[in-house]
Amino acid sequence: RPLRYAHPSRSYSPTYLLSLPWVATGSLQFSPGACDTRKYYNCYSSSNFVLLGLLLAQLAGADDWTTFAQQAPLAPAAPDFTDVQFAVTGAPAAFTGVKGYDTTHYNNNTKAIDVSSISGVFGGWTAADFVAPAADAAALAQDLYGPSHKLVSASLAQRMYDESSLTGYGLATFNLTRLTPHDVAMGHLGATYGYQSVVAYVPKVELAVAVGTNIERDEQDQPADVFCHVYNTAAAILQGLPVPTCTYSRGYWSGGCKCH
């Protein structure tokens, strides 16, 4: 982060990120396909997202990685959301008027840093470049996991979730049942410099909820905390049940929601 903050106008290409010593020559924490959940809550690799993006760009015949139309696979559901963007290069200010603030202590910040003019926020390409209003993010989750299955088949959507049963993270899908806390929930957490989010779909009530914040905190807990309260309130109302009282224990990866 100090490098990106010191050079706010510099963008970082996928090939540059993959060539960094700690990525190119780093050792694996576990063998491919074998994750010890006693040591790791989930098995997640941003590098693999970048490699997959480069492969898709090549298969699509893109002249350059910057010209690959990442929104193309969303075409079957495009009418359901109107403002989804993929920020390949440029700073957040070029895509949204919402400023983002990095308040993390692990970056030795003594005050909140406004990242809206930092191009490196979107470094990572396919791992950190999705920009959309919360409503559009929720619609995307609904079309991906919901009963219409506009983006993938029902069997593939189920496999995306099933793969998360052992590691917490499946095929581009997190097991987010800990946020409901009793109903099956699937979706994805989102975090980059100054911005954090969560989007989840709950089949039981066919409800998708997206929460975004422009404050990055050490625990990265506030989107999941909000979801815990919003979902359980909405689910109770939809089912004609008393609205429960919920509490959320801090933690981005392992925090949980309890209601009574």
Side-chain angles (χ1 to χ4, degrees):
R1 296 190 187 217
L3 175 63
R4 297 183 187 225
Y5 291 168
H7 303 279
S9 61
R10 180 178 178 181
S11 295
Y12 297 84
S13 70
T15 50
Y16 171 83
L17 294 173
L18 291 172
S19 69
L20 291 171
W22 60 272
V23 177
T25 62
S27 60
L28 295 175
Q29 291 181 309
F30 46 83
S31 300
C35 176
D36 186 348
T37 54
R38 292 168 298 181
K39 295 175 62 178
Y40 307 102
Y41 173 70
N42 60 67
C43 309
Y44 182 93
S45 174
S46 291
S47 301
N48 281 344
F49 272 102
V50 176
L51 289 169
L52 178 60
L54 290 172
L55 176 61
L56 291 175
Q58 183 180 46
L59 292 175
D63 296 331
D64 183 78
W65 67 270
T66 60
T67 63
F68 172 49
Q70 295 185 56
Q71 68 275 18
L74 305 182
D80 295 341
F81 39 83
T82 58
D83 198 20
V84 169
Q85 302 177 81
F86 289 91
V88 177
T89 59
F95 298 88
T96 175
V98 179
K99 293 185 176 182
Y101 297 93
D102 179 355
T103 67
T104 55
H105 291 87
Y106 49 75
N107 288 317
N108 298 315
N109 291 336
T110 57
K111 62 179 180 179
I113 296 177
D114 177 4
V115 304
S116 58
S117 63
I118 309 296
S119 294
V121 166
F122 293 126
W125 186 39
T126 56
D129 68 348
F130 180 81
V131 182
D136 279 3
L140 178 59
Q142 185 86 22
D143 289 339
L144 177 62
Y145 302 111
S148 65
H149 294 292
K150 292 184 179 181
L151 296 174
V152 300
S153 66
S155 60
L156 179 54
Q158 186 61 49
R159 183 182 176 189
M160 292 169 69
Y161 175 75
D162 289 344
E163 292 284 339
S164 72
S165 61
L166 295 177
T167 67
Y169 188 68
L171 297 176
T173 297
F174 280 99
N175 184 331
L176 298 176
T177 302
R178 60 188 170 83
L179 303 182
T180 50
H182 303 296
D183 301 332
V184 167
M186 55 198 73
H188 214 285
L189 304 168
T192 187
Y193 306 87
Y195 301 91
Q196 295 171 344
S197 61
V198 63
V199 61
Y201 174 74
V202 185
K204 180 178 180 180
V205 289
E206 296 186 2
L207 177 67
V209 176
V211 180
T213 177
N214 65 335
I215 299 175
E216 181 187 10
R217 291 164 30 114
D218 289 352
E219 293 290 337
Q220 302 184 7
D221 56 343
Q222 68 273 33
D225 191 345
V226 172
F227 177 86
C228 166
H229 292 83
V230 169
Y231 167 73
N232 287 289
T233 297
I237 293 173
L238 289 172
Q239 298 175 88
L241 301 173
V243 175
T245 299
C246 300
T247 57
Y248 181 79
S249 59
R250 288 189 173 184
Y252 184 59
W253 303 107
S254 57
C257 178
K258 294 183 179 180
C259 300
H260 63 273

